[in-house]
Amino acid sequence: MSPAADESPATDRPPLDSTALSADGALLPGLRVEVVEETGSTNALVAERARAGEPEGLVVVAEHQTAGRGRLDRRWETPPRAALTFSVLLRPSVAPASWPWLPLLAGHAVGKTLRAVGHDAAVKWPNDVLIDGRKVAGLLVERVDSPAGPAAVVGIGLNVSTSRQELPVPEATSLALEAGGAPDRTALLVDLLATLGESYAAWQAGGAAAEARLAESYAAACDTVGREVRVDLPAAQTLHGRATGVDSRGRLLVEHDGTTTAVAAGDVVHVRAQERPQD
Ligand code: BT5
């Protein structure tokens, strides 16, 4: 463990151990990790590789992103070596109608991994991971069309040793701020990729039954369900209501005046943390 984030901000952060990441048996078969010192966005880099025909399983992790992307042209900002910022190239064989599960599945995998190392992490529909109501990780899944067929780039940003001063918004947190010390990023990345890989394989192989199980398991881990929410819809529409669950297609169910609306991935801008009623 390195010192608490509030005590030791930007100095002396250890690099990722790329030798350990490429060691035999370190990762699930089929995964290949490349560590880059700096890039604009790992999602952009992996999308480029996907277009050039790269097979499923490439993982690019950047020690620093200079133009990290959130959804809808928002930015994802992390200092060098303070976070895990990486993208995974997938070429799912399941029908495109099931692809909206990917950000949920990946966020759920991050939440599970963090809970396994003692954090009280929850997912926030559709693409955030929270600890104690604050955003510790964000997910950006993008579809890329390539001559080899469609691909999905699953981008994950997780704040590890980021100090309070370095976080771009007050609603954010890091693992170090929550636990008083930062875990080893290489070991954490290995754990994240293992959980993500297992969840992805079960989803691909399991058909409708797997999606029903995923919906149940996701909803149980989801901080959004049970809350009053404001959902910003396209065309500047807004939906206010109570989130009651997640359906078998990964849509958020929002109840208002006795009517339930299923909000699809991609149609909802965000259930913004700062607008959620506090406990
Ligand atoms: C996201 O978007 O949360 C998706 C973030 C995905 C980042 C990964 S890093 C690897 C890969 N490569 C990329 O270029 N991106 C992916 P969204 O829900 O739109 O949230 C963006 C908002 O989160 C911003 O407008 C800020 O308010 C906030 N934010 C920015 N940086 C943050 C950070 N480090 N921690 C917490 N919140 C942050």
Side-chain angles (χ1 to χ4, degrees):
M1 303 277 271
S2 52
D6 270 342
E7 293 162 22
S8 168
T11 53
D12 295 336
R13 288 180 164 130
L16 286 159
D17 183 347
S18 44
T19 310
L21 289 166
S22 57
D24 273 354
L27 304 171
L28 291 179
L31 288 179
R32 314 171 293 286
V33 175
E34 294 180 12
V35 179
V36 298
E37 205 51 44
E38 186 171 287
T39 189
S41 152
T42 56
N43 262 37
L45 206 159
V46 169
E48 214 174 281
R49 299 277 292 271
R51 284 188 203 100
E54 182 80 29
E56 172 167 276
L58 173 70
V59 181
V60 175
V61 48
E63 292 284 27
H64 187 214
Q65 284 190 139
T66 52
R69 305 203 297 234
R71 295 179 306 150
L72 301 170
D73 292 331
R74 293 192 286 246
R75 290 179 62 86
W76 184 260
E77 295 168 64
T78 44
R81 295 185 181 172
L84 280 172
T85 47
F86 63 103
S87 301
V88 185
L89 171 57
L90 299 175
R91 294 189 181 272
S93 56
V94 298
S98 284
W99 286 33
W101 267 114
L102 278 170
L104 279 63
L105 181 157
H108 196 23
V110 174
K112 281 186 213 168
T113 308
L114 297 183
R115 285 195 295 280
V117 293
H119 289 282
D120 191 11
V123 282
K124 178 180 157 203
W125 193 93
N127 73 323
D128 292 349
V129 182
L130 310 178
I131 297 178
D132 201 16
R134 292 175 192 273
K135 181 163 171 172
V136 71
L139 283 287
L140 177 66
V141 177
E142 296 177 293
R143 183 189 155 123
V144 178
D145 288 308
S146 73
V153 178
V154 176
I156 300 180
L158 169 65
N159 301 319
V160 179
S161 68
T162 329
S163 70
R164 180 82 60 213
Q165 294 80 358
E166 290 170 318
L167 288 168
V169 289
E171 305 79 30
T173 193
S174 70
L175 297 180
L177 286 168
E178 297 300 324
D184 176 66
R185 287 183 307 141
T186 305
L188 188 59
L189 179 62
V190 167
D191 288 353
L192 283 167
L193 290 173
T195 312
L196 178 61
E198 282 159 16
S199 305
Y200 176 65
W203 172 68
Q204 287 252 95
E211 287 185 351
R213 277 196 303 276
L214 186 54
E216 202 176 312
S217 161
Y218 181 91
C222 182
D223 194 45
T224 315
V225 172
R227 288 186 183 272
E228 296 296 320
V229 293
R230 188 192 115 162
V231 188
D232 294 336
L233 298 163
Q237 288 175 305
T238 317
L239 178 65
H240 291 267
R242 187 174 179 79
T244 56
V246 174
D247 74 7
S248 60
R249 289 163 60 182
R251 297 177 301 182
L252 184 69
L253 300 173
V254 179
E255 191 185 298
H256 173 68
D257 280 348
T259 305
T260 296
T261 305
V263 181
D267 289 333
V268 170
V269 175
H270 205 180
V271 181
R272 300 195 69 82
Q274 66 270 34
E275 292 168 8
R276 255 196 1 249
Q278 297 300 303
D279 288 329

